[in-house]
Amino acid sequence: MGYFEGFDVAGFWDDSAYALAEYVEEAPPARESIASVEEELGGYRLPDSYIALMTAHNGGIPNRDHFPMTEPTSWADDHIVITGIRGVGRTRPQSLGGEYGSRFWIDMWEYPEIGVYFADTPSAGHDMLALDYRACGKGGEPTVVHVDQEDDFAITLVAENFEAFVTGLVDESVHDTSEQDRIDALATVREGSFSPVLRRAFREVADVLPDADRRMRILGEAVVHDKGFFSLHADARSTLMYDYLFWLFTSFNQVGSFDRYVRTPPQYERSYALPDYELMIVFGLVAEPYDFSTGGYAPGFLEDWWNSRVASGRISETADGYRMTDAAVGALLDELAGVVRDR
């Protein structure tokens, strides 16, 4: 390839069904498609090493997905983790020119226009990796940087170039912090401060559920025991947590749509006075942080939960917005009681 001498390109990639559907373009990039994608990306010339790797395997999920860091980031003190590397093309959602390609993060999420966002992380968009052209210009050799959306888009140098980044990726076993992560997650759910949104909701439901805060901690602990960390996906405990959070939220808020529940419209300044799902359990405001949080989330899991609850009738649209039915609330309280009994 002229690059990656002695590098095991074939063994680098994990060609799972998900990787093939989301990341891997079916063909290597032709000269015309490279030029077309570069133009769409804003005129940034992709590094020769990037083209070389994509010519051998056009995008995908690497087997080695951890990169050691000497400077802390929002991800960890000593490493970052990536989910996949974007191919050169448009036929896959995660390709550079695909539905969730580089321009998506700049145009829709307001990531800074410093170059090309080529790799994502398990945070579902709340931090990204980019080829940074600020110092070299659009035709030069970019560095690789980490960009943290939740820290006002803070930029941290990762590697001097793309080849150094790829060859520097290591197996997750090098940074196996699972036991410490579990201990930290248990401390968070047992003792961490709640968001102002949840504290208000606990007061609102006190007549019905006087120990609502305690039940939230017990459910959070059950999630950690199941997974080893505090994160919500599509499992039974997560679904129960989604139900509980929605019921608490609607104790003092109207929900007119799924989108409004998830996040306050961008024309409004973010404030706990205009609460949403993210401010309740995921992210805190810099001026008033809280500890009991997942720190990230995958919107698809939450949307699937919403759609299933609306379709089943457990959540219905009323004159006061979307709300859980009385029967659904009763079932929720019974399930929470069961979690407490099983503690």
Side-chain angles (χ1 to χ4, degrees), residues 204-215:
E204 294 290 338
V205 302
D207 289 345
V208 177
L209 199 65
D211 62 343
D213 54 345
R214 172 174 168 267
R215 293 182 186 235

Side-chain angles (χ1 to χ4, degrees), residues 122-165:
S123 73
H126 293 279
D127 61 330
M128 304 282 291
L129 269 73
L131 300 171
D132 182 2
Y133 292 79
R134 289 177 299 169
C136 65
K138 292 187 175 182
E141 183 72 16
T143 59
V144 173
V145 297
H146 174 270
V147 184
D148 184 3
Q149 188 240 11
E150 292 302 320
D151 188 18
D152 197 24
F153 297 105
I155 299 173
T156 305
L157 178 66
V158 175
E160 289 299 326
N161 55 62
F162 178 73
E163 183 178 13
F165 170 72

Side-chain angles (χ1 to χ4, degrees), residues 102-111 113:
S102 181
R103 291 304 315 180
F104 171 82
W105 302 104
I106 295 170
D107 296 340
M108 301 301 294
W109 281 54
E110 300 181 346
Y111 270 81
E113 192 143 11

